[in-house]
């Protein structure tokens, strides 16, 4: 069984493109080594990430990420067991929706939905739905 975990958070200060590239480089190298896959969405200082992998590994990684001073206010929206990965080919798929959104087929429905816990907390499956749509849009790109 694999743990599928989705959380949202807020950047302490806006990430620049270079900050995001830096972060992704670390994520991808570490996650590949850890057997963790997933996706990260960023928009205007809001973050949403899905992590999937062996349960203790994902929990350990989440704890490390939660201590990272670059963001705060983490809220776990969804934790569920699954037997198959949603993002098998991605050590960390990424989209900066501040800039990429308009060019992504299938993503228009989400353009006006703030990536905030209040929006997703009430309906955690919405978070997973977002990620699945994200994945589809990614593979079309
Ligand atoms: C929003 C956000 C998401 C992150 N996601 C991951 C991740 O998926 N994998 C990872 O290894 N580090 C991630 N990090 C970075 C970790 O918090 C931490 O800086 C990093 O794992 C330390 O790696 P190092 O010991 O190789 O320097 C994330 C940080 C932030 C702010």
């Amino acid at each position: 069984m694999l743990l599928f975990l989705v959380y949202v958070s807020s950047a302490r200060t806006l990430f620049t493109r270079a900050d995001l590239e830096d972060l992704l480089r670390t994520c991808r190298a570490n996650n590949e080594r850890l057997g963790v896959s997933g996706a990260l969405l960023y928009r205007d200082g809001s973050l949403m990430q899905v992590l999937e992998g062996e349960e203790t590994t994902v929990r350990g990684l989440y704890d490390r990420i939660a201590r990272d001073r670059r963001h705060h206010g983490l809220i776990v929206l969804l934790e569920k067991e699954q037997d198959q990965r949603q993002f098998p080919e991605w050590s960390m798929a990424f989209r900066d929706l501040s800039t990429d959104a308009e060019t992504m087929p299938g993503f228009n429905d989400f353009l006006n939905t703030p990536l905030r816990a209040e929006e997703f907390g009430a309906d955690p499956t919405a978070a997973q739905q977002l990620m699945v749509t994200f994945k589809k849009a990614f593979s079309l790109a």
Side-chain angles (χ1 to χ4, degrees), residues 1-76:
M1 272 299 176
L2 298 162
L3 182 65
F4 182 90
L5 186 152
V6 182
Y7 75 86
V8 288
S9 68
S10 304
R12 267 195 205 279
T13 57
L14 293 182
F15 284 66
T16 63
R17 198 183 174 83
D19 294 336
L20 289 165
E21 281 168 6
D22 236 38
L23 175 61
L24 282 171
R25 209 169 304 120
T26 308
C27 289
R28 287 173 173 159
N30 286 347
N31 295 3
E32 199 157 317
R33 189 166 40 76
L34 294 169
V36 169
S37 46
L40 178 68
L41 295 175
Y42 176 82
R43 190 169 81 185
D44 304 332
S46 293
L47 294 148
M48 185 173 186
Q49 187 174 29
V50 51
L51 300 168
E52 59 183 3
E54 194 271 317
E55 177 171 357
T56 49
T57 307
V58 169
R59 291 198 190 286
L61 177 59
Y62 175 78
D63 288 346
R64 176 144 52 103
I65 294 171
R67 287 194 299 269
D68 195 309
R69 301 276 305 159
R70 286 173 282 185
H71 64 165
H72 66 115
L74 281 77
I75 298 175
V76 175

